Amino acid sequence: MTSHGATGDTPQRPPAAPGTPTELELLLAEAAVGATEAVGGFSGGVYLRSGTEGLLRLAVMAGLPSRLFRPWWRVHLNRPFPAARVFRSGRPVYLADAEEAMRRFPQLMVSLPFPFSGFYAPVGDGPERYGVLAVLRTATPGRAVVDGDRRRMHEAARRLGAALDALRDGGTDVVWTADPLSAQLPSLSAPPVRIGHFTWDLRTDAVTGDALFCRILGHGPEDFPGTLAAFTDRLTPEDGLGLRAIARRAWEADGAEARRIRLRGVDGRAHLVELSVTPVRPESPPGHGGPVAFPAPSGPAGGAPTRAPGPGAGPAVLHGFLVDLGSGQAVTEASDRLPRGMLSLDRLGRVTYANHSAETLLGRGRPELAGRVLWEALPWLADPAYEDHFRAALMARAPVSFTARRGDDGWLQVTLYSGHDGVTVTLDPAERPIGSPAGPPGDRPAGPLGALTGRSTGLYRPVALAIALTEAVTARQVSAVVTDELLPAFGGRQLAIYLLHERHLFLAWETGFPQGFLDRFDGVGLDARLPGVETLTTGRPIFFESMEHLAAAYPGIPLDAHVGARAFLPLIASGRPVGSCILGFDQPRDFSAEERAVLTALAGLIAQALERARRYDTEAALARGLQDALLPHRLPVLDHVDTVGRYLPGTQSMDVGGDWYDVVETGDRIALVIGDVQGHGVAAAATMGQLRSALRAFALGGHDPAEVMSGTNRLLIDLDPGQFASCVYLLLDPATGRAQAVRAGHPQPLLRHPDGRTEVLDLAGGVVLGVDPAASYPVTELTLEPGALLALYTDGLVEQAGADIDTGIERLRAALADHGDDPLAEVANRLIREARQAEDRPDDIALLLATRWE
């Protein structure tokens, strides 16, 4: 689960009849609850596409109070979080424990530093991907994510996707723009309340009951003896005697009145028995030799009690209910005797029970607490300082203890004990912690960081920002990270970043300001008297608690409609000015000394990231220029052979690498070449250019394929010892289709025959280029029939993290078999389409297709 972003939109719930869930809401809740139960989780949720490009919203959350997880309601698709990666790639993510999560998604664990395992599955296929189904489960040492868990998650996501397809086909727009819905999970531990029905003949002590009555007594319906003794054997002797006493009272009472008694079974379980007279009255109760008064049969006119005749006149039957109360009543009584306060919460934070001591300590009665969310019933607990403790208890299942201030009435020691069905809260009076503010909460320094005393809440945003900045490689990515991490950490709503160029500040990024308002400041010189300029020229951050203070310090400065505070931060990296950063807030506020120090330090990190991004942009532009110059701009038009090439850069590192392809005319034959230089960046692109030139020279010189590969190998060793490359070189006679091929450590080509049969070729090969100067490269001869299609590719097209490369090659072979009859350009586009959609692509891709015709 993840977040991040601050926008000014006000979400609205999808339209529905008042109090009636929509079909979309029901489907999402059912999926979240069902998936959580299927894999034994403690919480589940569904992220859906929103109305904003590149943003997912949490639509439903089951098993946890959504308010505590507000920072994770929004997931930006450009961030390294599980839900974002699953939506981008269309592949599930399974995190067995905190160690794996920290290794793969460190920002997630910085924001939620608790030992849980996570399951994330895509909902919907291809362009109709709707969102992500997620489940959180307690991480138990040694408990892996087994195939059954994966299968159940996949099936739950598949069912939800199919249901959303049907909803879409019916005209419903499957997007989410509202706050998330909350759903409760089924209880695992609470015993069911069971109610059995029975009749009791007081003359014979015969007891007959329904199936539930029998089961409560520990019998099956077929083996219950049908006697009062079988009933009272489950009771203590004193309770058995009390039961007989109320039976007589029920018989002698008015027919409209029932008699009840609470009984304790020999196993300690509580039962409630209710007895009443049946509509048909016998004349005499059991155990009496003489006449006894009984109520007359009920009827329209009623009647006065009559004296019944002696024994034997007819049956005396009572109608009864036996209710199994479980242990609930005993627990209630026991907790009310404790001197410490005790509350019980469900998994959504609602109070289900409060003992007498809790009522006294909190100054709230049970009617004021029951059914309400704890931090809404007790507003002094609705503080970010305490939210992290509740998150820890709900997710880590370990006791959590902290000291909280109950308004102006002193301090309480609060301890949380979490289980699958809820949280037990204990309350004890406490002394004011050393170093805590003496005044009420409202007197503490304003701002989130000034208010936070929790274990990780006050730190995780700045730490998450620092981690995210190390991963951002472009100025735009840096700015997006600052928007997603810095603004929420301090409650900001506006951000502007200006970069220095030739003694002028140019606007590089903005969010939250009125459209066009900042244009007047774009390109201002360093001699302008503006706070964004002076913070950079002096190297000092400037803070204004309100716009009035800003206007007083800079008379005549243009102001927007906001009245809140402003922070101007210098962006200086290693003593070199980079630019300035402006944070805006909707409301006036103070900046504590802690906040000023943290903001100043973070500004330095932002400046370093922007400086690194500037160098990256320069080198990336150079590498892209080299690569663009070195790859063929067009392939030659040939008789009897059509060729198509595609190149797709990776999305990591320098975004350019050493993959290349080429088609070389050598008299009456042509050479088809595919290759891959190890590494990325300028060095890889330069080496690729040298190898491509060498191969062309050897080919144009009339050398046979083995000599071409051997000569290129020796040249690479001479040029750059330690650099490696793989390659396939195929020399083809277009007229006859005969070909000679050599391979140096490269994936095997694919060949689709005219009849559609597609195979992975088995070319003999040598070691990769650049390793052994004496390496030899055997030649394989083959024939391309008219209509045959040859596919040469680099490993980026068939490799996926965690999967065997043979699996990727087989997937490519099947795709070529299915679509090989399409036009050659369309075949090429289809083969790399899935790779093009993946945003986490570590390697480049080169693809060369050739087909022969008569």
Side-chain angles (χ1 to χ4, degrees):
M1 307 177 169
T2 47
S3 93
H4 310 299
T7 65
D9 59 312
T10 302
Q12 298 294 323
R13 178 79 36 101
T20 303
T22 66
E23 182 65 18
L24 175 60
E25 291 172 340
L26 288 172
L27 286 174
L28 298 177
E30 180 184 359
V33 171
T36 304
E37 285 191 290
V39 300
F42 61 78
S43 179
V46 181
Y47 283 95
L48 282 188
R49 299 176 302 191
S50 70
T52 303
E53 183 70 24
L55 179 70
L56 299 178
R57 277 188 175 276
L58 182 62
V60 64
M61 190 174 199
L64 287 174
S66 62
R67 180 188 183 280
L68 289 183
F69 295 84
R70 181 180 291 272
W72 297 270
W73 286 4
R74 301 152 57 84
V75 173
H76 289 268
L77 294 181
N78 63 351
R79 303 308 311 285
F81 289 94
R85 177 171 296 181
V86 168
F87 188 84
R88 294 194 309 260
S89 67
R91 295 189 294 272
V93 166
Y94 300 100
L95 305 175
D97 49 33
E99 181 178 349
E100 182 179 4
M102 178 60 77
R103 176 174 53 83
R104 298 178 60 185
F105 300 96
Q107 289 189 58
L108 173 68
M109 297 310 294
V110 167
S111 60
L112 289 171
F114 312 118
F116 64 88
S117 58
F119 303 69
Y120 306 85
V123 177
D125 297 321
E128 283 304 326
R129 192 167 299 137
Y130 300 107
V132 176
L133 177 64
V135 172
L136 303 181
R137 188 174 75 183
T138 301
T140 304
R143 184 182 184 185
V145 180
V146 298
D147 289 341
D149 294 332
R150 300 170 190 266
R151 184 175 62 254
R152 286 185 284 271
M153 274 298 293
H154 171 77
E155 180 59 23
R158 186 200 64 77
R159 286 197 303 268
L160 178 57
L164 295 181
D165 282 341
L167 210 58
R168 177 208 60 201
D169 294 343
T172 299
D173 192 10
V174 184
V175 298
W176 195 265
T177 59
D179 290 350
L181 303 172
S182 293
Q184 184 66 283
L185 293 176
S187 173
L188 292 183
S189 60
V193 175
R194 299 181 294 175
I195 303 176
H197 168 258
F198 68 96
T199 58
W200 176 4
D201 187 332
L202 296 176
R203 285 185 177 275
T204 64
D205 278 348
V207 175
T208 59
D210 62 11
L212 269 179
F213 173 80
C214 298
R215 280 198 285 268
I216 292 173
L217 296 179
H219 295 280
E222 68 285 347
D223 61 9
F224 178 62
T227 65
L228 180 65
F231 186 178
T232 57
D233 281 349
R234 305 294 298 174
L235 307 176
T236 60
E238 56 270 26
D239 283 357
L241 187 59
L243 176 64
R244 285 185 176 273
I246 74 149
R248 296 192 61 80
R249 296 291 303 276
W251 183 260
E252 294 172 354
D254 188 310
E257 182 180 348
R259 293 290 177 171
R260 299 179 184 86
I261 185 172
R262 195 174 70 203
L263 306 173
R264 188 73 57 198
V266 292
D267 59 356
R269 294 178 66 84
H271 302 86
L272 177 69
V273 173
E274 177 179 299
L275 295 173
S276 60
V277 178
T278 58
V280 178
R281 302 297 171 83
E283 297 180 342
S284 177
H288 283 262
V292 182
F294 296 102
S298 58
T306 61
R307 182 71 59 178
V317 178
L318 292 179
H319 173 85
F321 291 99
L322 175 63
V323 182
D324 180 9
L325 298 175
S327 58
Q329 188 67 33
V331 170
T332 298
E333 294 173 350
S335 65
D336 276 340
R337 302 183 191 109
L338 292 176
R340 69 189 320 192
M342 180 181 292
L343 301 169
S344 180
L345 314 179
D346 66 15
R347 293 287 296 182
L348 301 184
R350 297 173 300 194
V351 178
T352 58
Y353 171 72
N355 71 352
H356 290 323
S357 296
E359 291 181 292
T360 302
L361 286 170
L362 300 175
R364 298 282 193 280
R366 292 178 188 174
E368 297 177 82
L369 296 170
R372 298 185 62 190
V373 175
L374 181 62
W375 37 89
E376 294 175 358
L378 305 173
W380 48 268
L381 274 178
D383 188 302
Y386 309 139
E387 287 184 359
D388 188 60
H389 297 300
F390 283 100
R391 280 194 291 267
L394 287 164
M395 299 187 70
R397 301 293 179 88
V400 175
S401 186
F402 62 95
T403 304
R405 180 160 192 160
R406 46 175 174 166
D408 297 327
D409 299 325
W411 296 79
L412 290 176
Q413 185 70 25
V414 182
T415 305
L416 310 173
Y417 303 90
S418 179
H420 184 277
D421 292 323
V423 179
T424 297
V425 184
T426 61
L427 306 169
D428 295 283
E431 299 294 328
R432 180 170 68 87
I434 297 175
S436 63
D443 292 344
R444 290 180 293 186
L449 285 183
L452 295 187
T453 57
R455 174 175 49 84
S456 64
T457 303
L459 291 177
Y460 95 75
R461 285 286 194 183
V463 174
L465 173 63
I467 294 175
L469 286 175
T470 65
E471 299 176 347
V473 292
T474 67
R476 183 175 183 83
Q477 289 174 348
V478 171
S479 301
V481 165
V482 175
T483 300
D484 297 343
E485 299 289 355
L486 187 62
L487 286 182
F490 292 87
R493 301 291 292 175
Q494 298 167 302
L495 170 72
I497 293 178
Y498 287 84
L499 297 181
L500 181 65
H501 180 66
E502 295 182 353
R503 295 188 57 80
H504 288 76
L505 287 173
F506 294 92
L507 183 62
W509 181 272
E510 67 167 306
T511 184
F513 286 93
Q515 185 175 3
F517 173 76
L518 295 179
D519 292 348
R520 70 198 75 190
F521 304 109
D522 193 16
V524 297
L526 294 186
D527 55 350
R529 188 175 184 275
L530 293 169
V533 173
E534 293 188 1
T535 190
L536 180 61
T537 56
T538 64
R540 293 183 298 102
I542 305 173
F543 299 93
F544 297 101
E545 288 76 12
S546 67
M547 295 297 282
E548 289 81 0
H549 290 175
L550 174 59
Y554 292 87
I557 187 173
L559 303 176
D560 61 11
H562 288 75
V563 297
R566 289 287 187 274
F568 297 85
L569 308 174
L571 302 180
I572 300 174
S574 303
R576 295 188 300 275
V578 175
S580 61
C581 175
I582 304 172
L583 296 179
F585 303 83
D586 283 344
Q587 301 297 325
R589 54 164 292 167
D590 296 330
F591 293 92
S592 67
E594 179 188 14
E595 287 180 299
R596 293 173 186 242
V598 171
L599 282 170
T600 303
L602 292 177
L605 292 177
I606 296 168
Q608 294 282 356
L610 287 169
E611 184 69 10
R612 186 174 64 251
R614 182 177 292 176
R615 292 195 300 269
Y616 169 88
D617 289 341
T618 301
E619 184 175 354
L622 175 60
R624 281 192 293 268
L626 275 173
Q627 190 174 51
D628 186 60
L630 295 172
L631 284 174
H633 289 171
R634 61 181 181 85
L635 298 179
V637 178
L638 307 167
D639 291 334
H640 304 293
V641 175
D642 291 333
T643 58
V644 169
R646 293 287 185 270
Y647 174 79
L648 196 64
T651 59
Q652 299 178 10
S653 186
M654 289 302 300
D655 289 344
V656 292
D659 292 22
W660 89 96
Y661 60 86
D662 204 357
V663 177
V664 185
E665 294 183 86
T666 61
D668 57 351
R669 294 187 294 179
I670 60 170
L672 305 174
V673 186
I674 194 89
D676 183 0
V677 176
Q678 178 193 38
H680 298 81
V682 174
T687 300
M688 176 269 286
Q690 292 171 315
L691 290 183
R692 178 173 176 248
S693 298
L695 277 163
R696 290 184 68 89
F698 285 127
L700 292 171
H703 297 278
D704 63 42
E707 293 172 335
V708 170
M709 197 67 81
S710 298
T712 305
N713 174 50
R714 291 190 295 270
L715 176 66
L716 178 58
I717 294 173
D718 292 340
L719 287 174
D720 190 356
Q723 182 70 278
F724 312 127
S726 66
C727 184
V728 168
Y729 179 91
L730 185 143
L731 191 62
L732 172 67
D733 183 343
T736 64
R738 287 193 292 270
Q740 295 178 307
V742 291
R743 186 173 64 90
H746 200 83
Q748 296 279 9
L750 300 177
L751 179 62
R752 186 182 191 275
H753 295 276
D755 60 2
R757 180 173 55 90
T758 305
E759 63 176 319
V760 180
L761 294 178
D762 186 16
L763 303 184
V767 298
V768 294
L769 305 175
V771 174
D772 180 7
S776 61
Y777 297 93
V779 176
T780 301
E781 296 190 353
L782 63 151
T783 300
L784 264 67
E785 304 169 87
L789 190 158
L790 179 70
L792 309 176
Y793 55 92
T794 57
D795 56 9
L797 185 59
V798 292
E799 281 187 332
Q800 289 184 356
D804 190 89
I805 190 173
D806 290 338
T807 303
I809 293 175
E810 172 56 27
R811 185 170 55 249
L812 181 65
R813 186 204 64 78
L816 186 63
D818 290 342
H819 303 293
D821 286 333
D822 296 339
L824 200 60
E826 179 60 26
V827 175
N829 293 337
R830 285 181 178 274
L831 294 184
I832 67 168
R833 183 168 296 157
E834 180 180 351
R836 187 182 297 277
Q837 293 173 350
E839 297 190 20
D840 295 316
R841 189 174 59 255
D843 207 356
D844 325 6
I845 293 172
L847 174 68
L848 179 62
L849 301 181
T851 184
R852 180 169 170 262
W853 45 275
E854 288 280 87

